[in-house]
Amino acid sequence: MFISYFTFPLAILLFVSPAFCTPASSDSSNCNAATCLSDDDAATIAYNYGQLLSNFSINLAQTILSNTSFQDQSDSANTLIDGATQSPIPLGSLTFTSRAQLISMQGTQANIPFRILNVWHNCNTVTLRWVSALVPQQVQGIDVLEIVQSGRGAKAQWLIEKVFEASGVDERIVEEGWWA
């Protein structure tokens, strides 16, 4: 059986994010340079997010994830975490309800090959399309990251507050032990 959560990436881009704008946008009603992500900001956020999966460190997680309101929702991760059996985390539910929970879980996992293919953004959302060259079969997906400005004295100007993921996961990857 093939499980795919990758069938609606266009819907994510069109309906999850508010109107697209950049600091130079002519529509200043919903964005301005002081509170809007730049192209460089979005690229850095996407790169750092990829590093959480491909080269995890607690320091990076503490630097780029919101400590007060971080949440992550991924049905494919819920399926993989549970080994493709009936998930203790119901599909559609949060995978991680806090930064501490993600650190606890991700810190015990092997690094995952992760390559970013595209990055799109608006003032407070970064959307990235990625591929992971897992052996013997790659997995690809789209993640939508809701971003908030960090407080004074923070290491990063922007923090990831919420993650929503849509990815294609072939159940055979789990059933045949390719994902451990």
Side-chain angles (χ1 to χ4, degrees), residues 89-167:
I89 304 172
L91 297 180
S93 297
L94 293 175
T95 307
F96 303 113
T97 59
S98 68
R99 180 176 80 178
Q101 188 181 25
L102 179 136
I103 289 171
S104 173
M105 294 288 290
Q106 189 64 34
T108 63
Q109 299 298 311
N111 287 331
I112 300 167
F114 190 92
R115 185 168 55 97
I116 296 170
L117 302 173
N118 302 96
V119 176
W120 303 273
H121 73 92
N122 65 16
C123 284
N124 65 352
T125 305
V126 175
T127 302
L128 58 130
R129 186 172 73 97
W130 54 267
V131 64
S132 179
L134 293 172
V135 176
Q137 187 172 4
Q138 77 177 18
V139 175
Q140 55 184 321
I142 292 179
D143 284 21
V144 178
L145 314 174
E146 289 186 4
I147 309 302
V148 295
Q149 284 191 302
S150 59
R152 291 184 186 163
K155 293 180 183 178
Q157 178 184 0
W158 304 98
L159 300 174
I160 300 170
E161 182 177 48
K162 292 185 173 44
V163 176
F164 304 96
E165 180 183 331
S167 63

Side-chain angles (χ1 to χ4, degrees), residues 76-88:
S76 58
N78 290 350
T79 301
L80 291 170
I81 287 169
D82 193 47
T85 62
Q86 187 175 4
S87 181

